[in-house]
Amino acid sequence: MRLPPRPDLSWKDDGTPVDDRVGDVYYSIEDGLAESRAVFLDGCSLPAAWQDRAAFTIAELGFGTGLNFLATWQMWRSHRPAAGWLNFVSFEGYPLDREDVARALTPWPELSDLVEQLCTRWPVRAKGVQTITWPEERLSLTLHIGLIEDTLPQSRFKADAWFLDGFSPAKNEAMWADTLWPTLAERTQPGAPVATFTVAGAVRRGLREVGFHVEKKPGHGRKRERLEARFSAEDAPPAPPISPRIAIVGAGIAGACLARRLSERGANVTVFDQADAPAMGTSGNPLALVMPRVDAADTVQARLLIDAYLSAQGFYRGRLGVQTTETRHMPRDDAEAERFQKLLADPPLGLEQLEAIRGGGVLHKASMILQPAILLPSLLDGVDVRWRTAARIDLAERRVNGEVFDAVILAAGWQMPDLAEHLDLTDRLGQVEHYQSEVDAPPSALAAGHYALASGPHRLWGATFADHDGAAPRSSDAARAENTRALDALSPYWRNEALKAALQSRAGVRATTADRLPLIGALPDSATLIADRQILERQAWAVAPSAYAIDGIYLAGGYGSRGFTWAPWAADILTAEIFADPTPARVEALHAIVPNRQILRKLKRKLL
Ligand SMILES: C[S@@+](CC[C@H](N)C(=O)[O-])C[C@H]1O[C@@H](n2cnc3c(N)ncnc32)[C@H](O)[C@@H]1O
């Protein structure tokens, strides 16, 4: 099953939720909130532990109803250090539905405002990593959804405190398995506390064996004892700068999402672009569609595509120039029809996201139509953007046009190979047709290889995917003819209206990669990689995503025709990287998108 299972939920007479699969309650019958504070917050010496910290990461096993998270958030609101940022990472295998969470948390009216904020952003039922950020609260929640033996090893973060809350060990061994302790220790900062309600011998032993000092403490309410542990100290890694200076080269959707996220997180951002104004380049079509690419098999790639799509949904929702709409996606040929069928037999997203439609199609219920001319300026609002400025970059010195930065992010779309060596990007010319109708339409979208969009007076369809000669993109009659044929196949009705209109064409260039995955991460130090080829060959080419990186230089590109979908996810990943926050992606996804894969592939094939 690609969808995460629901818990076997039932409710006791006093309103306490129980998972009948394990026969245990989500929180204490007496007063769950008071217990959460006593066991976890006091157990980890909060708020004192985060007082002098620019960023603090709490990790939790068992997100459940989110009660511990909300108790922490409530404390964060009243005891947050100035300019501090709280990361809360939690693991959940059997996500609850939003309605059940709202019901479970009714006993605590003092949390109602936070419950509402959590429930409106409640994660989508899907396996993977979902990050919810509340920038005005200086808080983000990273949820790893899936069974713990799969999700914990695939996570990347260093916890400053741990809440272990995975039901009673006697009833739910999987959440306390011996194999988890070494992984947990790897994800713990030296000196960090661990708190839990259980004093089970296996838990104490497990923690001790991986280097925690463990102590029993008096329990809360009727419980006799609880546990506190502390990771034996070694030197902590240096803290990242609090307000790093970041240069972003490129003010298209890739750069704009990065600028927004990094500024919200506290960075001092400068964007460089040769254009005169926002939305002039490939990101500047009058309308853009955000729709998932859903692969039929449950692969690393399929999962990261879902993560990226859900990240885009969360990022764009409620922003200017963004509308949610259903997209009717019909298969374009027999092979795709078969793929859709396979997908719908075991879908990775639930009915609130997609369902089957007659004729073998898929209805994407939470897809989005964006108006880049409105969205991009709003993302760049308040950001220092240097328009009409070509960036001259000194990678080794992290200097752009003479200014030194803590990090430089190359997000220049198809012009990226001008900025760095050994990037394998293939340009593809994409043309769309558009016009303004006299009739306002609700947001609507059709797709079958090509796509057609309507929103208010705007109509747009395309796009072609053709070779590009490197010149400034130009539209062509041949591309218009292809788009007209495609529109006819999508909807003869739309085509009839279009035939009467004054059409405009717009061409843009998309940079694609050989494996159709983006390049997100550190810019590889290609010279050292090439020089080390023999060492690497002996090590079976095992290279960590962060190895062979040019310090402080990052790439965000190779988005192909999915720029609007990749951009928010990439922005989250690189923002986390720069601030040393929990990575909002699985480790296997980082390997799949790491820029050094292109050079490694060539070295392996002896092409370099
Ligand atoms: C006691 S509840 C957590 C309560 C939660 N901290 C709260 O504040 O509401 C335990 C949670 O662990 C989750 N869980 C149990 N076994 C799991 C497993 N093998 N993998 C991942 N999550 C699991 C359960 O679904 C449940 O939500």
Side-chain angles (χ1 to χ4, degrees), residues 21 25-26 60 62-68 92-94 146-148 165-167 172 174-175:
R21 186 185 60 87
V25 294
Y26 279 81
E60 176 187 55
F63 188 68
T65 66
L67 179 62
N68 290 340
E92 180 53 61
Y94 306 83
L147 294 183
I148 196 68
D165 197 14
F167 290 134
N172 192 35
M175 205 58 160

Side-chain angles (χ1 to χ4, degrees), residues 458-529:
H458 303 286
R459 306 286 185 274
L460 179 143
W461 64 97
T464 55
F465 200 76
D467 289 347
H468 173 236
D469 58 9
R474 287 176 313 272
S475 51
S476 73
D477 291 343
R480 174 169 291 185
E482 177 187 329
N483 283 337
T484 308
R485 280 194 302 278
L487 183 65
D488 194 26
L490 282 166
S491 166
Y493 172 80
W494 283 33
R495 182 170 171 255
N496 285 345
E497 196 199 63
L499 282 178
K500 294 176 221 142
L503 299 189
Q504 285 181 285
S505 298
R506 191 172 191 284
V509 180
R510 303 78 151 258
T512 64
T513 60
D515 58 15
R516 295 286 181 268
L517 288 176
L519 303 173
I520 303 169
L523 180 70
D525 174 356
S526 46
T528 314
L529 262 169

Side-chain angles (χ1 to χ4, degrees), residues 401-416:
N401 295 357
E403 285 174 65
V404 177
F405 292 88
D406 294 303
V408 178
I409 307 177
L410 309 180
W414 64 285
Q415 280 149 338
M416 207 100 86

